[in-house]
Amino acid sequence: MIKTLTVLDYNRELIELLLLDKIGAIALYLAMPVAYFILFQNIVPLEMLFGFLFSQIVMYIIRTNITRDFLEVLFTEEDSQVRRMLRFQLITIFFNAVLWGVAATLTVMYADESLILMMIAALFIVFTLSLAVLTPIFHAVFIFIVTIIVIFTTSLVFLTDTYIFNLSTVFLLAYLVLFLPVAYKVYRVMLKSIQQKEEILFLNYNLELRISDATAELEAKNTKLSNSVENFQTLLDTTMEMIIIIDSNKIIIDINRAGVDLLMAKSKEDLLGRRLPDFVDDKDRQKLSLIMNNNSGEASELSMRKIGGESFPTLANSQNVVQKGKRLRIITMQDLTQIQQKERLLLQQSRMAQMGEMLSMIAHQWRQPLGAISSAIFGIQTKLATGKYDNRDSNEDLYKFLNTKHKRINEYVQFLSTTIDDFRNFFKPDKKKELVMFESTIGRALLIVEGSLTSHGIDVAYTFNVNEKVEIFQNEIMQVILNIIKNSEDNFIEKGTKNPKIRIETNKMPAHYEIVISDNGGGISEHIIDSVFEPYFSTKDEKNGSGLGLYMSKMMIEEHSGGLLQVENTKDGVAFSILIPHF
Ligand SMILES: Nc1ncnc2c1ncn2[C@@H]1O[C@H](COP(=O)(O)OP(=O)(O)OP(=O)(O)O)[C@@H](O)[C@H]1O
Ligand SMILES: [Mg+2]
C-alpha cells in the first residue's frame, strides 16, 4: 500500500474510470454540500455556509473543466504529462477534502452534541461515496479521507472535551486504519481486473492476428492449388499427346483436348463413359492389354481408330495411378501419322540422293575406260585406213593387232560393268573380297590409263615390295588408284610440268599393306590440302572436274576396306598413301 503511494503511476484506464464517474462527482461535490447546507442552515452562520457551498461549486466547476481536458489527452499524451494532470486532479480532491474538513470543524464550533454526531454520520456517507468514486486512484481516496479525518479529529480534540467526542475521535482514527486497507484492496481488485481485461484484449488481438495470418496463408495455398490445378489442366490440354485416363474396366473417365481432336469426337462428353478398346484397331486389341500390363514405361506402337473408323498409328505407353483409392491408368499416345509420313519421305529422298550419287560415281569412273575404248577403236580405224593388207604377212599382222585391241576393249568393257556392280553394291555390306596378287590391281589400273599417260609423256616408275596374294576389294582399290593417277595427270597438264613423273611404291607393313603414289607436279597448296577429300571440292572447271574423285576414294578405302587414305606434300609434288589392313 505504501509502495503504491510512493509513485504516481496509474493505469490509464483506471484514471479514465475516475474521470468518467460524473454521477459520483455530482453526489460528492454538489449533492452532499447542498445537504450540509440544508442541515446546518440555522446553526452555522449563513455567510459561512454560503462560502462553503460556493467554494464547493467552484471546485466542482474547476474539476469538471480539468477533467474534460484530461480525458481528451489521456490516451495520447506521454506518461509524464499524464502524471502532471493527475496531480492537478489530486490537488482539487485535496481542496475538496479541506473544504469538508472546514465544514466539519464549523459544526464542532457551532452545533450542539447531537448535531455533531449527525455530522459524523454525514461524513460516513461522504467517505462511503468517496470510496465508490475515488477508488480507481488510490492516491485520491487516501488524500480525501486522510485530509478530512485529520482536520475533523484535530478540531474534535481541540474544540471539545466530552467523553463522547473523545470516543468519536478514536472511532474515526480507527475507521481510517480499517478503511484505507479496504480501499486499497478495492483498488487492487480493480487494477487486476483491468490488467486481466488488457491481457485478454492482447490475447484476443494476437489470436486475431494469428487467425488472419492463417487465413491469408490458407488463401495463398488455395490460390496456389487452384493455379496449379489450372496449370495442370492447361498442360494437359496444350500437349500434343493424347492423354486418356481409364478405370479398371477400361472405361474412359477423362481425356485431354488432343485426344478429343485425334479421335475426331465432337466433344469430350462423346468419349467419357465409352470403352477404350472400341477405339483401338481390331488387330491391336491384344497389344493394348500388353501395354496396359506393362509398367516399365516403355512405349509401343498401337494402331488406333477414329470415330469415323479411320485408323492412325500411335506410340503408346501407360502408367498406373491410384486416385481416391481407385486404381486408374493413364495412357499416353503420340500420333505417329505425320512422323511416319515424314520418315517415308525422308527415306525416299535419301534413296534418290543415293541413286544420284551412284550415277555421278559411275559416270566419273566410266570416263577413263570409255576414253580408252574410244582410243582403241580410233587405233583400229587408223590402222585399217592406212594399211595395205594384200599378202599373208600383212594379214597376220592385222589379225594380231585386232586381237590385242579386241582383248583390251573387252577388258575395258569388263571394267565398266564391274564398276556398275560395285556402285550398286556400294551401300551393301555383304560384298565379297577377292584373293589376288596385291600388285596386279595396280597393273590393271595402269592398263586403262597407260594410253593417256604415254600420249602426255608421263613417266611411271614402280617399286613393288609386297608380291603376295591378298584378299581385297580389287575393283574398288583400282578405282582409287585410277583417281589418284588421273589427278596427277590433270595437274601435270594444267601446270605444264616438265619431265612429269609418277612413282608407285608398295610395302607390307606390320599391320597393313601400303600403296604410295607420288608425283612431281608441285603439290597442293597448304590452305586447301585439308579440303581435297570433301565431296564436290575441286579447283578445276566444271567440265574437267566434279570434285568427287578423292571423296569417293576415301569412302571406298576407309568405309569399305577399313583402311586409310592420306595425302601430304613432298618436296616437288604430292604423295597419296593408301593403307589397307591385312585382314
Ligand atoms: N596430284 C595432285 N596435284 C595437285 N592437286 C591435286 C592433286 N590431286 C588432287 N588435287 C587437288 O584436289 C582437288 C580434288 O580432287 P578430286 O579428285 O576430288 O576432284 P577433281 O579431280 O577436281 O574432280 P573429279 O571429280 O573429276 O576427280 C583437285 O581439284 C585438285 O585441286
Ligand atoms: Mg579427280
Side-chain angles (χ1 to χ4, degrees), residues 364-365 367-368 483-492 494-495 518-519 521-525 528 531-553 567 569 573-576:
H364 187 272
Q365 293 311 91
R367 230 182 274 156
Q368 288 114 32
N483 284 336
I484 295 171
I485 292 177
K486 193 73 181 62
N487 279 345
S488 292
E489 186 186 333
D490 289 349
N491 182 54
F492 288 142
E494 188 200 322
K495 298 217 177 113
S518 49
D519 66 20
I524 305 175
S525 36
I528 61 162
S531 313
V532 296
F533 294 112
E534 286 169 13
Y536 305 106
F537 177 83
S538 174
T539 55
K540 301 164 193 172
D541 57 31
E542 243 172 70
K543 208 170 79 215
N544 291 317
S546 60
L548 277 178
L550 289 178
Y551 163 67
M552 270 163 47
S553 305
V567 62
N569 278 322
V574 69
F576 283 90

Side-chain angles (χ1 to χ4, degrees), residues 5 17 28 32 125 211 242 290 323 383 466 527 564:
L5 285 171
L17 265 183
L28 200 57
M32 285 309 289
I125 298 176
I211 287 175
M242 158 156 87
L290 285 179
Q323 197 190 43
K383 183 104 186 162
V466 177
H527 72 276
L564 269 182

Side-chain angles (χ1 to χ4, degrees), residues 162-178:
T162 51
Y163 165 74
I164 180 98
F165 290 119
N166 286 340
L167 202 67
S168 297
T169 310
V170 172
F171 193 65
L172 276 172
L173 289 173
Y175 180 80
L176 189 68
V177 173
L178 284 175

Side-chain angles (χ1 to χ4, degrees), residues 260-293:
V260 175
D261 293 348
L262 273 178
L263 293 177
M264 295 278 227
K266 280 200 197 80
S267 70
K268 188 168 164 173
E269 284 61 39
D270 281 359
L271 300 169
L272 300 186
R274 293 185 61 175
R275 296 190 75 244
L276 179 63
D278 295 348
F279 298 97
V280 178
D281 243 8
D282 296 345
K283 65 175 169 60
D284 270 6
R285 293 255 164 92
Q286 254 183 333
K287 219 170 170 188
L288 174 70
S289 309
L290 285 179
I291 292 171
M292 289 191 26
N293 291 326

Side-chain angles (χ1 to χ4, degrees), residues 141-367:
V141 190
F142 184 83
I143 290 170
F144 192 74
I145 306 281
V146 170
T147 311
I148 295 177
I149 290 189
V150 165
I151 296 176
F152 188 53
T153 47
T154 312
S155 62
L156 280 181
V157 169
F158 287 105
L159 298 175
T160 63
D161 51 1
T162 51
Y163 165 74
I164 180 98
F165 290 119
N166 286 340
L167 202 67
S168 297
T169 310
V170 172
F171 193 65
L172 276 172
L173 289 173
Y175 180 80
L176 189 68
V177 173
L178 284 175
F179 181 86
L180 284 179
V182 172
Y184 183 68
K185 222 171 198 160
V186 174
Y187 157 73
R188 293 297 302 176
V189 170
M190 278 178 137
L191 179 65
K192 203 163 182 185
S193 82
I194 292 260
Q195 279 170 347
Q196 271 174 354
K197 186 184 131 201
E198 277 182 353
E199 241 166 66
I200 288 171
L201 275 178
F202 180 70
L203 283 179
N204 213 10
Y205 173 71
N206 259 355
L207 204 68
E208 266 173 25
L209 269 189
R210 274 164 64 181
I211 287 175
S212 88
D213 278 0
T215 316
E217 203 176 311
L218 208 68
E219 265 170 20
K221 273 189 184 155
N222 240 346
T223 329
K224 219 164 144 189
L225 194 72
S226 74
N227 276 353
S228 80
V229 168
E230 257 170 43
N231 285 347
F232 182 65
Q233 197 60 44
T234 320
L235 195 74
L236 270 189
D237 280 340
T238 46
T239 172
M240 280 166 57
E241 289 187 341
M242 158 156 87
I243 299 172
I244 305 174
I245 302 177
I246 56 170
D247 66 8
S248 50
N249 295 322
K250 300 185 188 168
I251 305 256
I252 302 176
I253 59 168
D254 202 356
I255 182 163
N256 68 346
R257 197 172 297 157
V260 175
D261 293 348
L262 273 178
L263 293 177
M264 295 278 227
K266 280 200 197 80
S267 70
K268 188 168 164 173
E269 284 61 39
D270 281 359
L271 300 169
L272 300 186
R274 293 185 61 175
R275 296 190 75 244
L276 179 63
D278 295 348
F279 298 97
V280 178
D281 243 8
D282 296 345
K283 65 175 169 60
D284 270 6
R285 293 255 164 92
Q286 254 183 333
K287 219 170 170 188
L288 174 70
S289 309
L290 285 179
I291 292 171
M292 289 191 26
N293 291 326
N294 176 8
N295 265 329
S296 66
E298 240 172 65
S300 323
E301 283 191 26
L302 185 75
S303 182
M304 297 290 290
R305 210 163 50 191
K306 301 185 179 193
I307 280 190
E310 188 193 336
S311 313
F312 65 102
T314 68
L315 193 65
N317 69 7
S318 81
Q319 203 68 50
N320 255 337
V321 284
V322 178
Q323 197 190 43
K324 291 182 192 151
K326 269 199 223 159
R327 285 173 73 83
L328 302 175
R329 275 202 96 85
I330 298 184
I331 299 179
T332 321
M333 294 185 198
Q334 192 186 354
D335 181 14
L336 293 183
T337 317
Q338 280 190 350
I339 296 177
Q340 283 188 355
Q341 269 169 4
K342 274 188 193 145
E343 264 175 12
R344 266 199 295 272
L345 208 71
L346 265 176
L347 194 72
Q348 212 175 342
Q349 277 172 351
S350 89
R351 280 208 184 122
M352 295 292 281
Q354 271 177 22
M355 259 165 70
E357 199 172 339
M358 197 166 93
L359 279 175
S360 329
M361 287 178 174
I362 292 172
H364 187 272
Q365 293 311 91
W366 269 20
R367 230 182 274 156

